[in-house]
Amino acid sequence: MQLSFSPEDEKFRAEVAAWLQGNLNGEFEQLKFRGGPGDEHMFPEERLKWEQKLAEGGWTCVGWPKENGGRGCSIEQQVIFFEEYARAGAPGRVGHIGEGLAGPTIIAFGSEQQKQKYLPGIVSGTELWCQGYSEPSAGSDLANVKTKARFDEAKGKWIINGQKVWTSLAHESDYVFVIARTDPDSLAHKGLGFFLMKMDQPGIEVRGIEQITGTSEFNEVFFDDAECEADDIVGAPGEGWKVAMGLLGFERGVSTLGQQMQFQNELDEIIKLAKDNGAARDPVIRQRIADAHIGLKIMRYNSMRMLSGGDGGSLQKEALIYKLYWSTWHRDLGELAMDVLGPEAEMLESGPYQLTRLQSMYLFVRSDTIYGGTNEIQRNIIAERGLGMPKEPRVKL
Amino acid sequence: MDFSFTEEQQMIRDTAEAFLAEVSSSEAVRAAMVTEQGYDDAVWQRITSEMYWQAIHIPEEYGGMGLGYIELAAMLEQMGRYLLCSPFYATVCLASNALLVAGSEEQKAEYLTKICEGKLTATLAYTGANGQWDANAVELLASKEGEAYQLNGTLRYVPDGHTADLLIVAARTPGSEGEQGISLFAIPADTAGIDRQWSPTMDQTRKQAEIHFNQVSVADMALMGEEGNAWPELAKIIQLATVAVAAEQMGGAQQILDATVAYTKERVQFGRPVAGFQAVKHQAADMMLKAEVSRSAVYYAACVAEEALHGGDLADQLAEAASVAKAYCSDAYFQNTATAIQLHGGVGFTWEYDVHLYFKRAKSSEIFLGNGAYHREKVAQLILD
Ligand SMILES: Cc1cc2nc3c(=O)[nH]c(=O)nc-3n(C[C@H](O)[C@H](O)[C@H](O)COP(=O)(O)OP(=O)(O)OC[C@H]3O[C@@H](n4cnc5c(N)ncnc54)[C@H](O)[C@@H]3O)c2cc1C
């Protein structure tokens, strides 16, 4: 075990910090600490511009291989990048679904042509992506998707029909990746395809869904004879599940370290509040703040274990529990924030329903334990894969 | 940065596991725990002469193996898993650390060498009867009488205090308070005026003693560090010991999870193993989360402890890392063993099954050196005051 970073890595840290300091100002000053959870609808255009500013400096897709347009950073450097990014208060990344999910999937499973067509737009911060997985009847049971894909020989294209739901940022996205049934008679995870589709077309309609925060970050997406180019299926028809599952693996990557820095910013704000309003003298609040601090510290150590590849290449149990751990921690932080605020917790930034940053956080964290696999699903997976306990029975109705 | 075991560390852990599976079986633990001494001489003999564990993190100049705290933690994890009954924790994690941190060159040369040779067991005795774990715990009085010191008072909750050959004792100058006036002494346990009594405890796998000092006269050679100014050293000794308990707790939290999962896979009700019921699976999943998170906390704290002993950038994080690990692991171990009783059903409540041994060890190790709430308050002081 070796916890410190090498001198070269520390140099890299200084480089990242200096770039951020030199660029996160002027027109971008207002973006500091914005666009995080519960705040994702804010400043979409300015944040897109910021994405392109990052790209100019070579600071998008830092973990991607160089041949795919990335910066080819080592794990350590990626950790450092995301840490410094959050430390500087740089805004939530509008491009994160492309950089974190779509891109890595295309790199791992896509054709040469798909790489040429899609990766540059992600790297340059000009093209945004959204994730079309969930459907009204396919939530936790993702394999139950009903959206259909049929190949139209005359048009030489895939024709997609069906509905997706809870699609984050669909209203701002240029592309969507969709899992849909290529074999209409298939069941569960067999007979699925993984499609890359343009959002701006007559067959796709996006309708915003108002969230608990009163804002709209996610949407319903309707596919009515929507078209997808023949070349834009990733893997073969029928292999969609494999690709989709590979992608879920990318969801808990290095960026979690950056997420933790942002958690740290939130906790710091709560600590400052508690000191200012006297809550820091309440013994129960002291326990809870300390507990949050302890939980976040260990979250970092756990990620370091995850990123170090585990012991002897065995199943990484520390990765298996990670989603359940951080989502629960973050949810509790939201409750702590309100309890530290006391009666001020109710006071809006302004009417009619402009939430403060901590109120947004408090409300938004209720979704952390739902999206990306609910806590209950996480516990099923931990018990089954981590502990070898019997699988949930599947019932045919 | 690389936060995983090296091959050598892996090997140390595996060797420890294999050895303990042999010498610290349920029968062995049960046989040792009902004795007043609390351990089997033959097992301790094998540990000190065949395995050489007592020497693991002692520098080579004192006859040690010169390895680090991470290796020590890897072994403690296994000792916690197997509820090893031995004077190892008291001798190595309390007394050897105390000597390393505060001992004079002569004291180290004499005592550490004997400990490494397996000829000496030892412990740290600093707590009076007031139930505190910080500087306020020190109640024993030390008055200077010419070239010697006279020690008077009672020490309580001393691990293996009735059997240890050497006592590292904290005492305070009469009239002093808190962190002021604290001195450390290394005193052979057979010194005149020392009366030691075993205190029978609910957790029988870890022995405690009460020690009375009645006009005990010790020469100034016994003094460790500076008279009246030893709190910083004692604090560091306690922090190192705290990391060590957390490592044992983590091992226990893992072991009770494994045992519970194995049991629920065997036990059939309603025509299927109870492990298939989601209410059972989810509780087991929570146990695994606690065991893994404990592991992350302990490995990190062990890295910090290593640097605190031998130098490094992380040295000044010891107080925090120790409290972080102890707060988390204390609660995790307790909760895992409590859940284990529930998931075992009736048999979990019997003397015959081992679950209660872990449930009781979890409580005693949670209490020792401060429980979760105590360490959270310490963290709170670091970040809020
Ligand atoms: C803010 C937010 C953003 C999202 N963004 C996207 C996105 O961009 N793209 C996308 O595709 N999806 C997105 N989702 C959808 C998300 O992935 C689903 O909400 C999630 O998978 C749960 O599905 P569901 O909502 O249908 O709940 P359900 O599956 O209906 O679950 C209802 C309850 O039943 C429990 N449950 C279900 N099955 C089991 C089981 N086997 N065992 C025990 N309990 C069970 C669940 O844990 C939950 O408590 C988003 C969701 C949210 C909240």
Side-chain angles (χ1 to χ4, degrees), chain A residues 1-4 76 275 286-287 290 293 297-298 301-302 305 308 376 379-380 384 387-388 390 392, chain B residues 1-5 265 278 281-282 286 292-293 295-296 300 303 320 373 376-377 383-385:
Chain A
M1 287 185 189
Q2 163 61 39
L3 287 186
S4 42
E76 283 85 354
K275 285 182 175 173
R286 289 174 74 78
Q287 286 282 313
H293 175 85
K297 284 274 170 197
I298 310 180
Y301 312 151
N302 199 77
R305 269 179 73 208
S308 297
E376 290 72 30
R379 289 189 176 96
N380 286 347
E384 291 167 18
L387 300 171
E392 289 298 298
Chain B
M1 186 201 79
D2 181 14
F3 199 29
S4 56
F5 274 169
K265 285 178 182 170
Q278 201 176 64
K281 285 167 73 174
H282 283 196
D286 286 338
E292 285 308 315
V293 174
R295 192 179 301 281
S296 299
Y300 187 84
C303 290
E320 184 180 4
R376 280 190 290 279
E377 174 54 29
I383 59 178
L384 292 176
D385 298 341

Side-chain angles (χ1 to χ4, degrees), chain B residues 246-373:
Chain B
E248 287 186 335
Q249 290 174 318
M250 178 264 280
Q254 177 69 51
Q255 182 67 14
I256 202 63
L257 163 64
D258 294 346
T260 302
V261 170
Y263 179 79
T264 60
K265 285 178 182 170
E266 295 280 312
R267 172 68 179 163
V268 174
Q269 285 291 279
F270 299 97
R272 53 185 171 124
V274 296
F277 296 112
Q278 201 176 64
V280 172
K281 285 167 73 174
H282 283 196
Q283 291 188 67
D286 286 338
M287 287 171 77
M288 185 177 122
L289 180 142
K290 292 194 166 78
E292 285 308 315
V293 174
S294 296
R295 192 179 301 281
S296 299
V298 165
Y299 288 173
Y300 187 84
C303 290
V304 172
E306 169 63 18
E307 300 202 0
L309 270 178
H310 299 124
D313 298 344
L314 301 175
D316 60 357
Q317 288 186 21
L318 180 61
E320 184 180 4
S323 282
V324 165
K326 183 65 163 55
Y328 193 89
C329 295
S330 290
D331 292 354
Y333 192 13
F334 176 78
Q335 285 159 5
N336 274 11
T337 58
T339 305
I341 294 180
Q342 183 66 22
L343 295 187
H344 274 77
V347 302
F349 191 69
T350 63
W351 192 268
E352 179 193 346
Y353 274 67
D354 287 344
V355 186
H356 73 102
L357 301 181
Y358 288 89
F359 182 67
K360 292 168 183 171
R361 171 67 82 83
K363 183 49 93 180
S364 79
S365 63
E366 173 194 336
I367 294 168
F368 184 58
L369 300 181
N371 65 12

Side-chain angles (χ1 to χ4, degrees), chain B residues 28-51:
Chain B
V29 169
R30 284 161 184 268
M33 77 183 192
V34 295
T35 65
E36 179 175 328
Q37 173 172 286
Y39 61 92
D40 178 353
D41 285 315
V43 171
W44 179 238
Q45 175 74 25
R46 287 189 65 189
I47 287 175
T48 52
S49 58
E50 277 175 43
M51 308 309 289

Side-chain angles (χ1 to χ4, degrees), chain B residues 129-143:
Chain B
N130 65 16
Q132 311 280 322
W133 297 103
D134 54 15
N136 292 325
V138 179
E139 291 183 333
L140 193 71
L141 296 177
S143 337

